[in-house]
Amino acid sequence: MSVSALNGAFAMTLLLMTCGMTSCELLKNGGFDNGMDPWHCWGFSCELLGSADSHQGSHAIRSHGRTKYYQGPSQEMTTVPGKLYQAQSWIKFLNDTTGSLGQLIELEVAFNFPDDSHDYVNVAMRPLVTVADGWFLLQGDFQAPPKAVKSTTFYYQGPVAGVDFAVDQASVAEVTSDSNWRKETDDVINRVRKSNINIVVTSPANIDKSAVKLRVVQTKKGFPFGATVDSWKYVNSSQQKYRDFIHTHFNWAVPGNALKWRQFDWHQPHEGPGDKLYARAQSTIDGLRKAGLKVRGHNMVWSVEQFIPEKIKQLSGQQLRDAVKNHIQWTMNVTKGTLEHWDVNNENLHGQWFQERLHDRDYDLELFRMMHQADPVPKLFLNDYNVVAQGAATSAYLAQGQRFKNANVHMSGMGVQCHFFKDQEPNPSQIKRHLDTLATVGVPLWATELDVQSADENTRADYIEKALRALYGHPAIEGIMFWSYGGSSPSSLQALVVDGSMTLTAAGRRVLDLLENQWMTDETHVLSQSGDHFTVRGFHGDYEMQVIYQGHQQSSLNFTLGKDDETVNVNVHGHT
Ligand SMILES: *[C@@H]1O[C@H](CO)[C@@H](O)[C@H](O)[C@H]1NC(C)=O
Ligand SMILES: *[C@@H]1O[C@H](CO)[C@@H](O)[C@H](O)[C@H]1NC(C)=O
Ligand SMILES: *[C@@H]1O[C@H](CO)[C@@H](O)[C@H](O)[C@H]1NC(C)=O
Ligand SMILES: *[C@@H]1O[C@H](CO)[C@@H](O)[C@H](O)[C@H]1NC(C)=O
């Protein structure tokens, strides 16, 4: 290659790199090292901070005299329709507020369209921020609308009037998708979802090895694939097809609503196990377990105000603490031995009702301690949204996960809900980036509430396949649960199956092809070709090894393949 061609190749690489994974910067002067320009502080004041008060470099800025929650430094930028961007900034609060545990801070993007309508997109959020948090990184992503915009503005908002905050190192950059994602997820799947089955065959010397077939067939999946269960349907005697569908295709399940406090215990105090509402939850759990499924508990409390039982909302102080403790102990008592997991405090990034009401920042940790004390067996989970399918709460979830881990309150896993928006095409690189971030907490991640939405069943099939490959193809994911999967017709936005008849849509057929065909092992080897020692790389799960001689099954043996390789000794007999 000539020198000029080398230079050409080099220049080409540089060009690609300047617009690579985290470059193509849209903001100007994001570090404030060139003063305030072109940032705006409409209706309040901003002042430059020196290097002693910046996060990095010579300056940061501080907003001061804010009178509205939506006031924060802003800058106009130009996005390309349909492209995906990552936004981030370091932030530090300068004031706390009396009477609240902390304040929300958000990165926001406003799209102003030619017809003067607006779209405000929450790009990143973190709740309960205080001065004590010091500098922290807030990160998120957004997709530019797929149509022309008149102007696009990046800004900060959230804290109530009077709260000053400093910001530094703001950035908005295009994220390119990794076109190699399919190969990378396939590699992960091969590496972490499978192990080697080393087969050692002993056979009589005079046997015709070309007449001996060895079939290694997986009979059960090891990896947890589960689904929500509507307990009203599940206990209805005329819904046999519904029960069969769940029992046939899944090894895990979760009552979607039946265990929620508001559902099974509207009245306080508890009515006890005779309570009709609880009885429905219990027979659902019992039926699932009898069919061999493992069951998650969802959820013990839910910190978003609208989901708190009315009678509980009236309580405060010690009375509230006692009621919650009683609810936990009673529920753990009656479900003892039947549930593998519990979502303890649902969507705690998006609601902090118990903490606020008790004015106890650490009551979220206390809930986990009480759960563990009531029954140390079920694994305790956080469970939240906008953390993987979208990224607005990913960095807040990372911080929350680290806090729970460090507090040693028996958090065993983090649930990432994975609800995709209507017509949102799952982006495997974006999913991976979010999972990589959350995996740094160091506990298993479960996709607890996966669903995608498209009125076209083939598009829906492509969407759910992408989401499944990205999740199953990430080493931190240890279970995947489908949430909304029924619908009145094949064009229902989330339907994998049509209600009642339980016939599969194209999306449902795609899911089952992955779960039961592509991600299951069934190999037959002819002894004359395989040799006496050979290896099958198989998906984790239960297996049957069949010895077929001259077309007839001669013997079989069963084994389970886990994370460790397995050696299977097979004896072939002569003529039977
Ligand atoms: C907020 O904190 C800043 C910096 O400490 C201080 O100058 C300002 O007076 C405080 N504002 C309020 C409303 O307390
Ligand atoms: C049970 O399911 C059938 C068939 O869908 C339905 O007609 C009936 O109303 C259900 N019964 C109850 C009690 O919900
Ligand atoms: C839970 O079970 C324990 C042990 O049997 C019992 O002492 C306690 O009263 C029960 N708590 C509730 C709230 O039912
Ligand atoms: C192996 O497992 C299958 C079910 O998966 C069962 O039908 C069969 O009886 C088992 N065979 C042995 C030898 O245990």
Side-chain angles (χ1 to χ4, degrees):
M1 196 187 281
S2 73
V3 171
S4 69
L6 260 177
N7 280 344
F10 189 55
M12 182 80 144
T13 311
L14 275 183
L15 197 71
L16 286 171
M17 279 174 63
T18 53
C19 221
M21 286 294 273
T22 51
S23 45
C24 274
E25 181 58 54
L26 300 193
L27 296 181
K28 297 190 179 73
N29 187 26
F32 308 98
D33 294 333
N34 304 317
M36 217 82 97
D37 211 40
W39 290 90
H40 293 290
C41 297
W42 303 111
F44 63 102
S45 55
C46 283
E47 72 180 48
L48 271 181
L49 299 172
S51 58
D53 296 312
S54 77
H55 181 257
Q56 198 184 66
S58 55
H59 295 290
I61 57 169
R62 164 195 170 198
S63 1
H64 175 65
R66 298 169 58 256
T67 55
K68 303 275 191 272
Y69 81 92
Y70 54 77
Q71 288 174 335
S74 65
Q75 185 179 137
E76 292 218 359
M77 59 184 183
T78 306
T79 52
V80 177
K83 295 252 183 202
L84 184 67
Y85 296 90
Q86 186 175 72
Q88 63 181 49
S89 176
W90 286 84
I91 299 171
K92 181 179 149 176
F93 271 41
L94 302 174
N95 308 98
D96 286 326
T97 44
T98 49
S100 79
L101 296 176
Q103 293 290 318
L104 179 70
I105 182 83
E106 296 175 308
L107 304 183
E108 196 88 358
V109 174
F111 296 99
N112 181 15
F113 298 105
D115 65 0
D116 278 331
S117 63
H118 291 82
D119 213 354
Y120 300 101
V121 175
N122 175 224
V123 174
M125 59 80 86
R126 175 162 161 151
L128 297 189
V129 180
T130 65
V131 172
D133 291 319
W135 283 105
F136 60 89
L137 178 67
L138 192 59
Q139 205 172 45
D141 40 44
F142 66 96
Q143 192 166 15
K147 56 180 179 176
V149 291
K150 202 161 77 180
S151 65
T152 304
T153 309
F154 168 83
Y155 64 106
Y156 299 80
Q157 69 169 24
V160 295
V163 172
D164 293 3
F165 59 89
V167 304
D168 202 355
Q169 292 166 280
S171 162
V172 177
E174 187 187 330
V175 271
T176 48
S177 294
D178 179 1
S179 55
N180 217 20
W181 70 268
R182 177 61 196 273
K183 187 188 174 309
E184 285 162 12
T185 55
D186 280 350
D187 287 350
V188 172
I189 290 168
N190 186 51
R191 187 163 49 81
V192 306
R193 308 299 179 206
K194 293 179 171 180
S195 300
N196 287 340
I197 307 165
N198 299 313
I199 296 159
V200 181
V201 186
T202 315
S203 59
N206 59 350
I207 203 159
D208 173 8
K209 289 189 175 181
S210 69
V212 178
K213 284 184 183 163
L214 301 155
R215 183 176 178 216
V216 184
V217 56
Q218 191 179 357
T219 51
K220 257 192 202 160
K221 286 184 284 285
F223 186 88
F225 281 110
T228 44
V229 175
D230 173 338
S231 65
W232 284 111
K233 276 194 190 174
Y234 192 87
V235 302
N236 180 332
S237 58
S238 41
Q239 296 278 0
Q240 192 58 42
K241 282 185 178 164
Y242 180 73
R243 285 185 291 276
D244 287 346
F245 178 80
I246 291 160
H247 295 168
T248 306
H249 300 298
F250 302 107
N251 51 16
W252 278 68
V254 56
N257 286 316
L259 285 170
K260 288 173 183 167
W261 197 352
R262 239 184 103 146
Q263 297 272 327
F264 87 74
D265 189 27
W266 198 264
H267 312 286
Q268 188 66 16
H270 288 279
E271 293 170 5
D275 181 336
K276 272 215 298 256
L277 295 175
Y278 180 68
R280 183 164 48 81
Q282 185 140 43
S283 45
T284 303
I285 295 168
D286 289 348
L288 291 165
R289 283 170 46 78
K290 208 178 279 173
L293 282 75
K294 292 185 171 170
V295 188
R296 304 190 78 241
H298 174 83
N299 47 60
M300 187 58 77
V301 304
W302 193 347
S303 274
V304 177
E305 181 161 4
Q306 74 191 97
F307 303 111
I308 313 270
E310 290 305 324
K311 296 215 167 161
I312 296 302
K313 270 193 214 162
Q314 318 300 319
L315 305 178
S316 60
Q318 195 58 42
Q319 272 191 320
L320 177 57
R321 285 178 189 271
D322 290 347
V324 172
K325 191 165 188 176
N326 187 58
H327 168 62
I328 289 176
Q329 288 184 343
W330 185 87
T331 310
M332 294 301 254
N333 275 1
V334 295
T335 58
K336 208 175 198 89
T338 65
L339 301 174
E340 313 294 321
H341 293 175
W342 265 108
D343 292 331
V344 178
N345 184 8
N346 207 34
E347 301 176 353
N348 190 203
L349 290 176
H350 295 89
Q352 300 83 33
W353 188 86
F354 293 95
Q355 287 151 282
E356 292 283 7
R357 183 58 160 249
L358 293 167
H359 210 76
D360 179 353
R361 207 184 159 76
D362 292 336
Y363 189 67
D364 52 351
L365 303 173
E366 184 58 24
L367 288 166
F368 274 66
R369 288 193 198 99
M370 285 190 277
M371 294 281 292
H372 182 78
Q373 202 173 20
D375 183 356
V377 176
K379 296 194 163 138
L380 308 182
F381 276 68
L382 295 169
N383 188 50
D384 228 306
Y385 64 94
N386 273 356
V387 295
V388 166
Q390 304 83 23
T394 312
S395 48
Y397 206 30
L398 171 65
Q400 188 182 53
Q402 285 167 335
R403 180 169 157 265
F404 273 72
K405 182 99 185 296
N406 294 337
N408 275 317
V409 291
H410 310 283
M411 177 189 66
S412 292
M414 292 169 73
V416 299
Q417 294 187 359
C418 298
H419 295 294
F420 288 85
F421 297 146
K422 184 170 181 288
D423 299 321
Q424 183 192 354
E425 179 175 1
N427 176 329
S429 324
Q430 183 190 27
I431 293 170
K432 178 179 188 302
R433 191 158 34 82
H434 295 156
L435 292 172
D436 285 348
T437 298
L438 298 175
T440 62
V441 174
V443 296
L445 306 178
W446 276 60
T448 47
E449 307 187 12
L450 173 64
D451 45 35
V452 298
Q453 304 186 44
S454 169
D456 180 81
E457 59 177 316
N458 294 304
T459 305
R460 198 183 318 132
D462 292 344
Y463 285 7
I464 194 76
E465 176 170 354
K466 277 194 168 172
L468 278 172
R469 287 190 179 281
L471 294 166
Y472 191 58
H474 194 284
I477 288 285
E478 296 199 3
I480 298 174
M481 312 284 295
F482 295 87
W483 200 256
S484 295
Y485 54 86
S488 56
S489 81
S491 61
S492 301
L493 286 176
Q494 299 170 310
L496 303 181
V497 292
V498 177
D499 292 335
S501 68
M502 301 307 280
T503 50
L504 296 168
T505 65
R509 289 193 295 274
R510 189 77 65 86
V511 168
L512 295 188
D513 180 54
L514 289 169
L515 270 55
E516 296 173 2
N517 179 27
Q518 298 194 42
W519 295 338
M520 291 280 276
T521 299
D522 184 356
E523 289 187 15
T524 301
H525 294 264
V526 179
L527 189 56
S528 56
Q529 287 159 21
S530 64
D532 292 344
H533 290 200
F534 64 99
T535 296
V536 169
R537 190 147 181 90
F539 285 96
H540 298 158
D542 291 352
Y543 280 80
E544 185 172 327
M545 169 96 212
Q546 301 168 353
V547 179
I548 299 154
Y549 183 54
Q550 294 179 335
H552 299 286
Q553 186 173 319
Q554 180 184 83
S555 63
S556 78
L557 64 93
N558 290 350
F559 64 95
T560 297
L561 182 65
K563 287 195 192 321
D564 296 326
D565 293 350
E566 200 67 32
T567 296
V568 179
N569 294 300
V570 182
N571 285 308
V572 180
H573 312 296
H575 294 277
T576 45

